Amino acid sequence: RIMGPELRRVLVLFDSDITSAVAIRESFADRRHYQVGAVSADIHQVSQFDDWQARISQARQQGYDALIIGLYQTLRDEHDRVMDGQQVLAWTAQHSPIPPFAFWDFSVGPDKAIGGLVQFGQVQGEAAASLALEILAGAKPSSLTPRAAENGQYLFSRSGLARWQLQLPEELLDKVYWTE
């Protein structure tokens, strides 16, 4: 609804860490192509920062209308060292030829992603704490299933929306949290 009917293809990028693999398995049933109405999403995991850069730099040429940033904290540089996540995020926000959105609250803000229906680390921590309390009360860990927060919240950056000349639909405005 934010980008209007011209939104047709979305590039979703994750690093190649196990956390990303689990997120893709749990959220997308391990599918690398996803269709939601008229919008198709291609989901990719990459391990190297130069691959991340190339995919983003070529996104518009490859027909993508928007970028969704998954996890990016374990991308590696040309010396196989883990990149600083904030550097990856800043480069992505500065160089993306298409509007960047995000899944996580820590990825949204000035010089970061525009926003999205995001998960908050605190809510995820509360879900993990409830599991820990069950174990401390005597439950066997093998008897428990993974638990994640079910609902996200709308979080947006005013400067990100302005940069991309996007406006939120009126019906979302009273549901949005702002980074600035």
Side-chain angles (χ1 to χ4, degrees), residues 45-141:
Q45 275 189 277
V46 298
S47 59
Q48 298 297 125
F49 184 53
D50 59 354
D51 186 17
W52 179 274
Q53 290 174 303
R55 287 177 187 268
I56 290 170
S57 296
Q58 298 165 8
R60 182 167 307 284
Q61 295 167 338
Q62 294 181 350
Y64 292 106
D65 304 306
L67 168 67
I68 298 179
I69 302 166
L71 296 170
Y72 49 87
Q73 289 86 353
T74 65
L75 291 171
R76 296 185 172 276
D77 67 15
E78 68 276 4
H79 303 291
D80 206 35
R81 293 182 298 228
V82 174
M83 297 280 301
D84 175 79
Q86 292 305 311
Q87 285 181 316
V88 171
L89 192 55
W91 183 94
T92 301
Q94 183 179 3
H95 293 92
S96 180
I98 55 178
F101 295 90
F103 287 133
W104 291 96
D105 63 324
F106 51 77
S107 301
V108 177
D111 302 318
K112 296 180 179 181
I114 295 167
L117 181 62
V118 302
Q119 294 296 317
F120 282 76
Q122 177 182 342
V123 177
Q124 297 294 319
E126 290 169 357
S130 73
L131 283 172
L133 289 173
E134 288 182 45
I135 292 168
L136 290 173
K140 293 189 184 289

